[in-house]
Amino acid sequence: MQKQILIVGAGFAGMWAALSAARLADKYQQTIDITVIAPQPELRVRPRFYESAVHTLVAPLQPLFDATGVNFLQGHVEQILPASKEVSWKDANGDIHLRRYDRLVLASGSHVNRDAVAGAAEHAFDLDQLESAAVLEQHIKDLAQQPESEARNTVVVCGGGFTGIEMALELPGRLREILGANAKTRVVVVERGAQPGARWSQELRDVIAQASAELGVEWRVNTEVECVDASGVTLKNGQTIASQTIIWTVGVQANGLTAQIDAPHDRQGRLHVDANLQVIGHDDIYATGDVAYAATDDKGNHALMTCQHAILLGKFAGNNAAASLLNVAPLPYRQENYVTCLDLGAWGAVYSEGWDQQVKLTREEAKKLKVSIVSELIYPPKADRAVAFEIADPYAPFV
């Protein structure tokens, strides 16, 4: 019987894990059954979900999988059964199946948790999935049909992380397009940190503050949301902000499947992995992307829940899962180069290098780089076996 690698998820990490595993099997001229289980055979370009026309931000994967010999099963994994080396999954018709594996690569991603704050699940929008981002986009368009009011013209973004910043600074221009140039619009970011971008370098914070000021984006710092309702948000200091559009970007957690594996987790639910991305205590299970708590270097840095890290994590996880079946030495995961490229709406963008975030480019220069990254670099390779395998090499140049 052929050895089986089962990959849960077709996001950045899952897609690249499949291609990397197929590449190594091809290199050693061995046959391994490599199967991806996911809801759709497409890559949803989540880092761009703050943009408009969100329904276009997908890339088909079936031609790429066909070209590289990767199998695809359309469905959702319901349960992981490590003792029997199986997963239980539900197909598009709702039927339940069991699928065995010799190596499991968990690449099931993450989600925003809105349950921690009263009313957020019922009244807030998010950019978490393609469907929810599309609902938000349509809601913003429909504001033009609503009567003029302060609540209609005000958008509150809960959370000042990268997603919150990119969404907030995109909004002034989009609101003007929809509501008219003379509309008195307002965008407010609620952030519990002491200043905009408080967790980042002073250089980066200064750029974010400058861009926010020039675009008219307000920040409420040292502040948290107490509750959300149909009229807006109430802050923990008792203040209220009237708004018909509350966007939730905080509380990101690893997919719940991680809880089914008896292993150490971090506070976001990510599984602790060793240098080969094997889950601690489970030699036949690999975690990658947003479900992996992985050291990027020997300096104490760990992979973030970003596509930048997911892409390389996926390549190493797929390679190492295949290597363990081929009796080939694994490649320890390392990603010492870290960059930040943050879209700042009509102001431009900012690009920094290193974990200390030294700013290298701003405004239009950084914007050109940002567009290149999100419209070219992070997309899947073309459906060509040789090209895909070349890029799937964990040591292939990336960033």
Side-chain angles (χ1 to χ4, degrees), residues 48-62:
R48 299 182 63 183
F49 283 179
Y50 65 92
E51 299 180 27
S52 56
V54 69
H55 66 281
T56 67
L57 302 178
V58 297
L61 292 179
Q62 193 65 62

Side-chain angles (χ1 to χ4, degrees), residues 37-328:
I37 299 180
Q40 307 89 14
E42 62 186 23
L43 177 71
R44 296 181 162 199
V45 190
R46 193 178 183 188
R48 299 182 63 183
F49 283 179
Y50 65 92
E51 299 180 27
S52 56
V54 69
H55 66 281
T56 67
L57 302 178
V58 297
L61 292 179
Q62 193 65 62
L64 178 60
F65 288 160
D66 291 342
T68 53
V70 173
N71 305 310
F72 179 78
L73 292 177
Q74 186 164 5
H76 296 263
V77 171
E78 302 275 300
Q79 192 174 8
I80 297 172
L81 307 166
S84 59
K85 290 190 176 184
E86 295 175 307
V87 302
S88 170
W89 67 283
K90 182 186 293 186
D91 66 21
N93 297 319
D95 296 325
I96 301 294
H97 308 268
L98 286 177
R99 181 82 179 196
R100 65 169 293 273
Y101 62 83
D102 293 291
R103 297 293 182 268
L104 178 68
V105 179
L106 189 60
S108 49
S110 60
H111 64 278
V112 171
N113 179 16
R114 293 183 291 169
D115 294 333
V117 171
E122 296 81 8
H123 300 290
F125 298 90
D126 66 61
L127 308 170
D128 200 37
Q129 304 297 327
L130 184 72
E131 292 81 2
S132 60
V135 168
L136 170 61
E137 182 181 8
Q138 188 60 51
H139 167 82
I140 292 174
K141 289 179 180 177
D142 291 344
L143 291 174
Q145 312 305 318
Q146 300 297 320
E148 171 87 23
S149 70
E150 180 182 350
R152 184 201 73 163
N153 292 357
T154 300
V155 178
V156 178
V157 178
C158 301
F162 285 157
T163 300
I165 290 170
E166 291 192 318
M167 183 75 258
L169 273 70
E170 166 87 359
L171 281 167
R174 192 185 301 187
L175 291 172
R176 281 195 298 273
E177 290 177 3
I178 292 169
L179 301 179
N182 296 323
K184 295 181 180 180
T185 60
R186 185 184 181 201
V187 177
V188 183
V189 182
V190 177
E191 164 59 29
R192 67 180 180 181
Q195 54 186 304
R199 71 205 76 173
W200 304 312
S201 71
Q202 186 63 53
E203 270 193 293
L204 193 55
R205 291 200 299 267
D206 289 345
V207 173
I208 293 167
Q210 181 183 359
S212 298
E214 290 188 23
L215 294 176
V217 173
E218 303 174 33
W219 284 75
R220 296 287 184 92
V221 296
N222 289 320
T223 305
E224 295 184 58
V225 175
E226 176 69 28
C227 64
V228 181
D229 59 30
S231 64
V233 298
T234 299
L235 306 179
K236 287 191 174 180
N237 61 13
Q239 295 180 339
T240 60
I241 304 175
S243 173
Q244 293 182 14
T245 311
I246 312 299
I247 304 175
W248 200 261
T249 70
V250 295
V252 179
Q253 293 288 311
N255 179 272
L257 289 174
T258 61
Q260 298 182 17
I261 299 174
D262 183 14
H265 298 72
D266 79 342
R267 61 182 180 83
Q268 291 179 289
R270 296 183 296 176
L271 290 157
H272 285 238
V273 294
D274 64 15
N276 298 325
L277 304 183
Q278 288 173 299
V279 175
I280 302 302
H282 295 268
D283 291 346
D284 52 358
I285 301 178
Y286 294 74
T288 189
D290 286 0
V291 300
Y293 181 68
T296 62
D297 52 35
D298 296 324
K299 302 174 183 176
N301 297 308
H302 287 78
L304 303 178
M305 288 174 154
T306 66
C307 74
Q308 176 183 170
H309 285 117
I311 289 170
L312 207 53
L313 280 165
K315 293 180 184 182
F316 276 93
N319 179 90
N320 292 344
S324 70
L325 297 176
L326 297 169
N327 295 317
V328 174

